[in-house]
Amino acid sequence: MNNLTDYPRPSVAVDTAVLTVDPGSGFVVLQVRRAQGRGWALPGTFLHEGEILADAVERSLADKANIRGLSPRQLHVFDALGRDDRGWVLSVAHVAVVPPEQLASRFAETTRLVPVHAPGRLIYDHADIVRLAVDEVRARYAAMPDPDGLLGAEFTLRDLRLVHEAVAGHDLQRDTFRRAMEPHIVATGATTAGGRGRPAELFRRRPARDTTR
Amino acid sequence: MNNLTDYPRPSVAVDTAVLTVDPGSGFVVLQVRRAQGRGWALPGTFLHEGEILADAVERSLADKANIRGLSPRQLHVFDALGRDDRGWVLSVAHVAVVPPEQLASRFAETTRLVPVHAPGRLIYDHADIVRLAVDEVRARYAAMPDPDGLLGAEFTLRDLRLVHEAVAGHDLQRDTFRRAMEPHIVATGATTAGGRGRPAELFRRRPARDTTR
DNA sequence: CTAATAGTGTCTCTCAGACACTATCCG
DNA sequence: CGGATAGTGTCTGAGAGACACTATTAG
């Protein structure tokens, strides 16, 4: 019978592409400096005993970058035998999107934010993880208004469009974008003031109702 | 430093939803009888030392169901702490689609094929795996003609439509379906003979070219 | 007033869905 | 010929993309 102790077990790691939209640099990924070696990597850690993957992701980000409160999603398990020179290690890649304010308190010396289209040289298969993460988030943002909450609860359509343009990596048409998002948002009644042109309406996300009517 | 031996490691398992289209029962999932207990489960196994996940999937299917030659794709890692009563086990769920002929040689006594819409009672979270697998395959089949090769290299549009209807779980309109698939297939020039009505053209899958023109 | 931004009317093109017609086999 | 199946013309409605118009603010 299958006794759990019959076989050696792999180490299981998590690696996370933490993405945000930076007003200056657009859609960026968080990288951490490697502890012993030189070079940059995605934050990751080994899974501890009795820990679930999401908790390992949160712990790795608290420890390595001083970031808290994420909602990581799984992407893929990387299991190539030679991928990690420390031995037999499976890595479960994750993606997490956070508003830029939440990265303000990150370790300045050992972390950096790099545009996703030119993430630099990364160890192991971390460049693949960034690609998977970016594709996943782009697909989500194409379908819904700011599903990962890069903006607060209320926003103008201009703010929303700028965030979506940063994620998509290209400009979006103002009127088409508005009509695509309108089924998924509700006007609050309030408007902005103090801006240059006509004041803009404020919207909230529609509470995940049926969108087909 | 992170020494790989510092922490206890989880057992890693794979569980696979093997799906096919059965002429009689439609879209079905392969289940295996549990060895020691009663009840049915998806075929799975523990990952052996130095083995990659895809190989573990193939081994589990050869051993438990006498099936070979799959192309499993990863779906999700199930990591809930209490999910397996044998201890700390992560399970990497997979999906594999095979043509029905390839299941002809399966163990008759210990396996069965059950329609995906009523998979019966399954252990652990295997019902969730079936749901994920079905959703993944339906999404792939909605976009491309038989991407997983349930049919052979050549087929009529009727054959193709019947397979897609079985996967989708509902009827598809003949003319609309044809126009949706035509950009992704090439006529061979040959036609069927011996059928009841007008002979049908035979097609092949288009060799993964750019579909936008 | 002009510049700037927000919101919307409307035209066109494409495409899915639907219906119906023609085409070609068997018997 | 009739019955069955394959292939296609065509209409309609929905929706994306694009352009341009109106609306409302600051200065």
Side-chain angles (χ1 to χ4, degrees), chain A residues 8-10 79 81 88, chain B residues 47-53 55:
Chain A
R9 306 174 188 180
D79 63 343
L81 293 178
W88 187 26
Chain B
L47 188 64
H48 288 188
E49 184 168 19
E51 188 179 46
I52 63 173
L53 295 166
D55 289 343

Side-chain angles (χ1 to χ4, degrees), chain B residues 24 33 43 87 101 110 123 140 168 178:
Chain B
R33 197 188 292 281
E101 315 85 69
T110 56
I123 60 157
R140 291 162 51 76
R178 180 187 190 91

Side-chain angles (χ1 to χ4, degrees), chain A residues 173 175-176 179 195-199:
Chain A
Q173 202 150 312
D175 44 7
T176 302
R179 282 184 256 248
R196 213 174 301 184
R198 170 174 169 177

Side-chain angles (χ1 to χ4, degrees), chain A residues 114-146:
Chain A
V114 186
V116 296
H117 60 267
R121 192 173 270 289
L122 289 169
I123 60 155
Y124 305 150
D125 35 30
H126 288 192
D128 296 322
I129 298 178
V130 173
R131 263 191 296 276
L132 282 180
V134 167
D135 288 349
E136 200 256 8
V137 174
R138 282 189 176 152
R140 291 162 52 77
Y141 270 71
M144 290 290 291
D146 189 25

Side-chain angles (χ1 to χ4, degrees), chain A:
Chain A
M1 292 303 104
N2 268 322
N3 187 310
L4 288 184
T5 63
D6 277 356
Y7 307 112
R9 306 174 188 180
S11 294
V12 174
V14 294
D15 288 302
T16 308
V18 177
L19 303 176
T20 195
V21 166
D22 188 64
S25 336
F27 199 25
V28 292
V29 57
L30 177 79
Q31 304 182 356
V32 298
R33 196 188 293 279
R34 297 236 69 197
Q36 59 275 41
R38 52 233 135 262
W40 297 84
L42 299 183
T45 187
F46 286 106
L47 188 64
H48 288 188
E49 183 167 21
E51 188 180 47
I52 63 173
L53 295 166
D55 289 344
V57 168
E58 303 218 355
R59 178 171 51 77
S60 73
L61 290 166
D63 290 356
K64 302 214 174 174
N66 200 32
I67 304 171
R68 271 149 249 278
L70 306 184
S71 301
R73 293 185 296 276
Q74 283 181 26
L75 290 175
H76 190 78
V77 182
F78 288 86
D79 63 343
L81 293 178
R83 61 175 292 284
D84 191 315
D85 46 37
R86 291 168 300 185
W88 187 26
V89 180
L90 301 187
S91 171
V92 185
H94 287 73
V95 57
V97 178
V98 294
E101 316 84 70
Q102 225 171 314
L103 295 183
S105 61
R106 75 182 201 274
F107 295 136
E109 298 297 311
T110 57
T111 69
R112 65 178 188 180
L113 295 174
V114 186
V116 296
H117 60 267
R121 192 173 270 289
L122 289 169
I123 60 155
Y124 305 150
D125 35 30
H126 288 192
D128 296 322
I129 298 178
V130 173
R131 263 191 296 276
L132 282 180
V134 167
D135 288 349
E136 200 256 8
V137 174
R138 282 189 176 152
R140 291 162 52 77
Y141 270 71
M144 290 290 291
D146 189 25
D148 295 330
L150 284 166
L151 298 169
E154 300 195 356
F155 44 81
T156 64
L157 270 164
R158 177 191 175 80
D159 295 336
L160 186 64
R161 181 169 48 86
L162 291 177
V163 164
H164 278 246
E165 286 176 349
V167 168
H170 57 83
D171 287 357
L172 299 171
Q173 202 150 312
R174 194 169 55 94
D175 44 7
T176 302
F177 178 76
R178 180 188 190 92
R179 282 184 256 248
M181 290 298 128
E182 261 175 340
H184 308 114
I185 56 181
V186 224
T188 64
T191 57
T192 55
R196 213 174 301 184
R198 170 174 169 177
E201 298 177 79
L202 284 170
F203 295 87
R204 297 176 183 278
R205 295 172 188 81
R206 181 177 292 275
R209 284 262 157 267
D210 184 332
T211 69
T212 55
R213 62 170 67 184

Side-chain angles (χ1 to χ4, degrees), chain B residues 178-197:
Chain B
R178 180 187 190 91
R179 282 185 256 248
M181 289 298 126
E182 261 175 341
H184 306 115
I185 58 183
V186 222
T188 64
T191 57
T192 55
R196 211 172 304 183

